[in-house]
Amino acid sequence: MKFLSALAVASVLAASPAVAAPIALVGARIIDGNGGTPIENGTILIDGSRIVAVGTNVAIPKGAQRIDEHGRTIIPGLITDHSHIGQYQGVTEGPAAYTRASIVAQLAQYRKYGVLTVVALGDNRPLFDTLRADAHAGLLPTDLYGVDQGIGVPNGALPQAVFHSAPDQLFRPTTPEEAREAVRKMVAEHTDLVKIWVDNFGGSLPAKMSPEIYRAVIDESHRLGVRVAAHIHDLDDAQGVIDAGVDILAHGVRDQPVPPAFVAELKAKGIWYIPTLSLDEATVAWAKQEPWTLTPMARAGLSPELAHEIDDPAWRAKTLASPQAPAAEASLAMNLRNLATLYKAGVKIGFGTDSGAVPLRVPGVEEHRELVLLVQAGLTPLQAITIATRDAAALMELPDRGTIAPGKRADLVVLSADPTHNIRAVGNIAETWSHGER
């Protein structure tokens, strides 16, 4: 139980004067993001963009606006550590989709699904820097962080035939010095992280990133004080970038079980692991018409173009006949198994989905599927929520969010159901609060 006296509350309010009256959300079940027992019949006191008190005995100042939340559950805003923005419009991929209007609409969709901080992990254009600044100022539907461009491979990842990346959207160095120069350009643009695409997309591409390139990227990034996230699929590639000093594995290992030595090394070095379980699920789930894909919550995230596509029996048959379908199902099964192993061992787990990279990875919908799949892997609903809030904030080194506590941003999701026993209840969103704005 948390408690602030009336004097302490008044002191906090005086230290950060609000432009409007404080707001008290009263009577809710509060899941604070730390994984402990929820606070029943609790109150959250908000002043401006910040939480100033939370608990069962909060002194509510005279003149504060009271909002009755009895029968509801409040969780911290969800945070995706691995998503993408501006990659497609409808079902058409390419740099023409990277516009302010398109991206703001996408961020609004994330917010509708309770995702209040989005990390766009690469393949971004110069507009990203302006959008990020506006988001930090509270001018966009969600906050925004990410990688300015990212570093790929000539004739390799990202596959140009799929993503059609523009020249200002991705670096493809051929030498270690070119790789270092790409890092320097990204750091000059104030990138939050550096991203490398290492693997060959299941053998579909003729080349992988060479060790001499990714070692140069990691070394130069660390010299300039920036961390590196690596796109991988196979254990061998993951081990290679770990040996080179990578900070974040941006996808789970999906080709074979992770051995004990690998698990121990991740834990000892404090490397973050983002499983992106829902990535492979999305490859086949819409085509198979899994029951969740037919729910109003899932359908609400679809553009008219995408809805038309997935409702087409010919498209579904073609998708399921593709070699990618069984490969994706096998990858998901291995990913679930490896996540369970790593989580039990105490490896640091982040929260991301690769949503927004391609049309089938629907912004917002994928984050809710990731929560369900985390529970399917053996986590409790509270553990899954903690990964998607507190731990996701920790991965991005954002101490001002991820939990419901005094001093934190008022980024909240109010649910009309209790997710402690059924994680799908996180989809029952009544309202969201971003930076103190309802």
Side-chain angles (χ1 to χ4, degrees):
M1 179 184 299
K2 300 178 178 68
F3 174 77
L4 282 182
S5 68
L7 181 61
V9 169
S11 175
V12 173
L13 294 177
S16 56
V19 296
I23 298 169
L25 308 181
V26 300
R29 173 183 297 104
I30 300 170
I31 296 174
D32 66 8
N34 283 308
T37 303
I39 300 169
E40 300 293 342
N41 196 26
T43 295
I44 301 171
L45 184 63
I46 301 170
D47 184 51
S49 65
R50 300 285 164 171
I51 297 167
V52 295
V54 55
T56 56
N57 293 291
V58 172
I60 301 175
K62 183 179 179 180
Q65 178 187 359
R66 292 173 179 256
I67 298 177
D68 187 356
E69 302 288 8
H70 282 87
R72 292 177 167 180
T73 299
I74 302 179
I75 65 173
L78 303 178
I79 299 169
T80 171
D81 292 320
H82 185 173
S83 293
H84 294 275
I85 57 173
Q87 303 298 299
Y88 56 83
Q89 188 76 7
V91 293
T92 303
E93 295 166 272
Y98 207 97
T99 66
R100 184 180 183 92
S102 174
I103 291 168
V104 170
Q106 184 178 340
L107 296 178
Q109 176 154 316
Y110 276 115
R111 176 161 182 176
K112 180 171 69 172
Y113 284 90
V115 183
L116 303 184
T117 300
V118 174
V119 180
L121 208 62
D123 210 26
N124 288 305
R125 307 192 76 185
L127 175 61
F128 175 76
D129 296 326
T130 300
L131 292 170
R132 177 174 51 190
D134 288 348
H136 291 350
L139 302 177
L140 299 185
T142 73
D143 207 355
L144 180 64
Y145 292 83
V147 175
D148 278 76
Q149 293 95 1
I151 299 176
V153 182
N155 300 315
L158 283 170
Q160 188 65 14
V162 176
F163 293 95
H164 312 291
S165 299
D168 62 2
Q169 208 161 357
L170 188 71
F171 295 108
R172 296 183 187 270
T174 60
T175 67
E177 183 48 41
E178 287 181 0
R180 290 179 182 273
E181 178 59 23
V183 171
R184 290 192 287 268
K185 289 179 180 178
M186 293 170 68
V187 172
E189 296 164 348
H190 306 293
T191 190
D192 297 300
L193 300 166
V194 169
K195 166 80 172 290
I196 51 176
W197 281 267
V198 175
D199 68 291
N200 61 2
F201 281 51
S204 65
L205 302 173
K208 289 185 179 183
M209 181 174 284
S210 69
E212 65 175 358
I213 296 293
Y214 64 66
R215 286 173 190 151
V217 170
I218 294 170
D219 180 70
E220 189 70 11
S221 298
H222 288 175
R223 186 182 72 82
L224 296 173
V226 179
R227 295 177 298 152
V228 180
H231 180 293
I232 57 90
H233 183 285
D234 295 350
L235 179 63
D236 288 348
D237 292 327
Q239 188 63 63
V241 294
I242 288 170
D243 292 343
V246 81
D247 305 282
I248 302 163
L249 293 179
H251 293 285
V253 172
R254 288 164 280 168
D255 67 323
Q256 59 183 291
V258 289
F262 178 86
V263 177
E265 188 172 11
L266 283 182
K267 185 175 181 180
K269 292 182 175 179
I271 295 169
W272 284 94
Y273 184 93
I274 309 175
T276 63
L277 300 163
S278 60
L279 179 158
D280 289 305
E281 182 192 53
T283 302
V284 296
W286 297 99
K288 292 177 72 174
Q289 292 191 321
E290 296 285 1
W292 68 263
T293 68
L294 304 176
T295 64
M297 189 195 78
R299 297 286 301 191
L302 305 181
S303 67
E305 299 89 344
L306 183 57
H308 176 77
E309 183 173 83
I310 66 176
D311 289 340
D312 180 2
W315 176 87
R316 294 200 302 271
K318 180 180 178 181
T319 299
L320 294 176
S322 165
Q324 282 78 32
E329 292 182 311
S331 288
L332 174 58
M334 186 58 67
N335 207 356
L336 288 163
R337 173 178 174 177
N338 284 337
L339 170 64
T341 298
L342 293 164
Y343 184 81
K344 290 175 184 176
V347 171
K348 296 194 294 187
I349 306 297
F351 186 76
T353 63
D354 212 25
S355 59
V358 297
L360 286 177
R361 299 172 200 160
V362 182
V365 175
E366 289 299 288
E367 282 66 36
H368 286 266
R369 287 306 303 164
E370 191 76 11
L371 288 169
V372 171
L373 291 169
L374 288 171
V375 172
Q376 186 177 320
L379 280 66
T380 68
L382 285 177
Q383 288 169 336
I385 291 169
T386 299
I387 285 175
T389 55
R390 183 195 69 185
D391 297 347
L395 183 148
M396 284 302 297
E397 299 180 343
L398 299 174
D400 65 339
R401 68 198 72 190
T403 59
I404 300 175
K408 302 283 188 175
R409 281 173 53 115
D411 284 2
L412 307 168
V413 182
V414 182
L415 309 175
S416 59
D418 178 9
T420 54
H421 300 294
N422 184 352
I423 192 62
R424 288 177 176 82
V426 176
N428 292 37
I429 298 174
E431 62 194 37
T432 62
W433 293 76
S434 180
H435 222 214
E437 292 290 332
R438 187 187 193 187

